[in-house]
Amino acid sequence: MLNQIHGAIKIFAGNASKKLAQEICAQLDLELGKMEVGKFSDGETSVNIKESVRGCDVFIVQSTNTPVNDNLMELLLIIDACKRASAGRITAVVPYFGYARQDRKARARDPISAKLVADILQTAGANRVLTMDLHSSQLQGFFNIPVDNLMGMPVLARHFKSVGVPDNLTIVSPDTGSVVRSRAMASRFDAPLAIIDKRRPMANVMEVMNVVGDVKGKMCLMLDDMIDTAGTICQGAQALVENGASEVIACCTHAVLSGPAIERLKESKLSKIIVLDTIDLPKEKRIDKIEIVGIADLFAEAIERVYTDLPVSKLYE
């Protein structure tokens, strides 16, 4: 049990992240907070906290994955309920932050949804946000409260070291946007880096143009922050095989896996897809190719550091 620094520490979970929250509580030797989150007969979300939170340091664990709007509304109402019940500090623990890709006006009259969600979280009463691998790091600037953005890459790197790293490993960035995290992974393994140059004619449609780097006879590890419809990662795997790669593995932090993703992954050239459990995958999406790596220990340590006012930056290393 954590020594009391502020008010008592309490962890609650929305319906999207109950399993992860329970694992975090087990790491911290805490009981998950008692709360009911359901629906009224007209479909409105209902929240009822079953224990006192007055003066407490409250952490609310809830990813905003599909159904995005329902999960986001749950998170907002839980925050509001805690604020109105006189919680001391409220931290929104959002392992997967939905709407993060809508971070700019790509076309005339587009909303900047990520900024709106940031404003709503603060208005609801969040004093801090703890998340992982925001789609773009500048999203932290949308908030006027502290945001701790944990990195998934070190967790994935430790996993690969534990199972053994082949001599012919090459790290591959599936696009230019993932070059920074892919280069960091390559430096950990002292492995070469390749980049897939692509053109995207429209949303969720990707055409591979060229593979920059030597992948012939290599075991290629593609690294990205998320897999959504899986078009990028599957077409990237096809291009790598056509350029002589002996095996292609994909890994990502967030397994969004929407639309045709599962069928694409089944039929792809990928031998394995390794994901973190920021999103609780339903059974129908847990195909044989997918391997899930837990992140409860990292979030547990981050929560402990936030609660005890220790730096979280150590966890970025």
Side-chain angles (χ1 to χ4, degrees):
M1 181 68 72
L2 294 173
N3 292 325
Q4 188 162 320
I5 304 297
H6 304 287
I9 181 171
K10 295 199 175 182
I11 298 176
F12 294 91
N15 287 322
S17 300
K18 279 189 175 178
K19 182 174 180 291
L20 177 59
Q22 287 166 346
E23 292 171 353
I24 291 170
C25 286
Q27 294 277 343
L28 296 172
D29 193 24
L30 294 171
E31 292 290 330
L32 186 63
K34 296 178 178 63
M35 177 178 64
E36 288 182 1
V37 181
K39 298 278 189 186
F40 291 110
S41 58
D42 64 352
E44 293 178 1
T45 300
S46 82
V47 170
N48 185 10
I49 298 173
K50 299 289 190 178
E51 57 187 85
S52 174
V53 296
R54 182 175 295 273
C56 294
D57 219 344
V58 174
F59 295 83
I60 303 164
V61 186
Q62 174 82 330
S63 281
T64 51
N65 52 286
T66 302
V68 180
N69 296 332
D70 286 352
N71 289 333
L72 176 59
M73 198 66 196
E74 279 187 17
L75 175 61
L76 295 171
L77 291 176
I78 297 167
I79 292 170
D80 183 73
C82 290
K83 179 181 73 172
R84 294 177 187 279
S86 302
R89 301 193 303 181
I90 302 170
T91 300
V93 182
V94 192
Y96 170 69
F97 192 96
Y99 284 109
R101 286 173 283 181
Q102 300 181 44
D103 61 349
R104 65 193 184 282
K105 289 184 68 172
R107 299 168 300 183
R109 297 173 296 281
D110 273 0
I112 304 179
S113 307
K115 170 60 175 168
L116 176 61
V117 171
D119 288 345
I120 294 171
L121 281 169
Q122 292 168 106
T123 301
N127 303 115
R128 189 182 201 99
V129 172
L130 175 61
T131 186
M132 176 173 271
D133 274 351
L134 285 169
H135 189 64
S136 53
S137 58
Q138 61 264 30
L139 259 65
Q140 294 173 78
F142 290 178
F143 290 87
N144 295 318
I145 56 176
V147 177
D148 293 305
N149 183 28
L150 301 177
M151 306 297 178
M153 187 275 294
V155 181
L156 293 164
R158 284 197 298 272
H159 173 75
F160 281 108
K161 284 183 178 179
S162 70
V163 299
V165 181
D167 294 334
N168 65 338
L169 176 67
T170 292
I171 305 298
V172 179
S173 175
D175 53 33
T176 54
S178 294
V179 168
V180 172
R181 68 170 59 86
S182 297
R183 185 179 291 120
M185 178 75 95
S187 67
R188 283 176 177 260
F189 295 122
D190 194 23
L193 176 68
I195 302 169
I196 296 176
D197 174 36
K198 69 177 186 181
R199 179 171 60 87
R200 188 187 296 274
M202 64 184 69
N204 293 328
V205 177
M206 189 273 287
E207 179 184 343
V208 173
M209 300 296 288
N210 194 23
V211 176
V212 181
D214 180 21
V215 298
K216 189 172 183 179
K218 304 289 187 178
M219 197 283 272
C220 293
L221 177 63
M222 281 198 294
L223 182 68
D224 211 345
D225 65 324
M226 71 172 67
I227 299 176
D228 187 356
T229 60
T232 294
I233 216 81
C234 291
Q235 291 187 45
Q238 179 69 36
L240 292 171
V241 170
E242 290 174 357
N243 280 266
S246 61
E247 183 183 5
V248 184
I249 296 175
C251 63
C252 75
T253 301
H254 309 299
V256 179
L257 304 184
S258 64
I262 293 299
E263 289 304 314
R264 284 176 173 174
L265 292 174
K266 284 179 181 178
E267 297 169 4
S268 72
K269 298 294 185 180
L270 293 164
S271 62
K272 187 184 295 184
I273 305 102
I274 300 170
V275 303
L276 301 183
D277 62 348
T278 58
I279 295 172
D280 188 14
L281 284 183
K283 288 182 179 179
E284 62 270 18
K285 291 186 178 182
R286 299 191 179 211
I287 60 175
D288 291 341
K289 282 187 177 184
I290 293 179
E291 181 178 342
I292 301 173
V293 178
I295 42 91
D297 56 343
L298 180 60
F299 272 94
E301 186 173 355
I303 287 171
E304 182 174 1
R305 286 178 169 274
V306 170
Y307 177 65
T308 55
D309 293 331
L310 291 173
V312 180
S313 58
K314 175 182 179 294
L315 303 181
Y316 300 155
E317 297 171 3

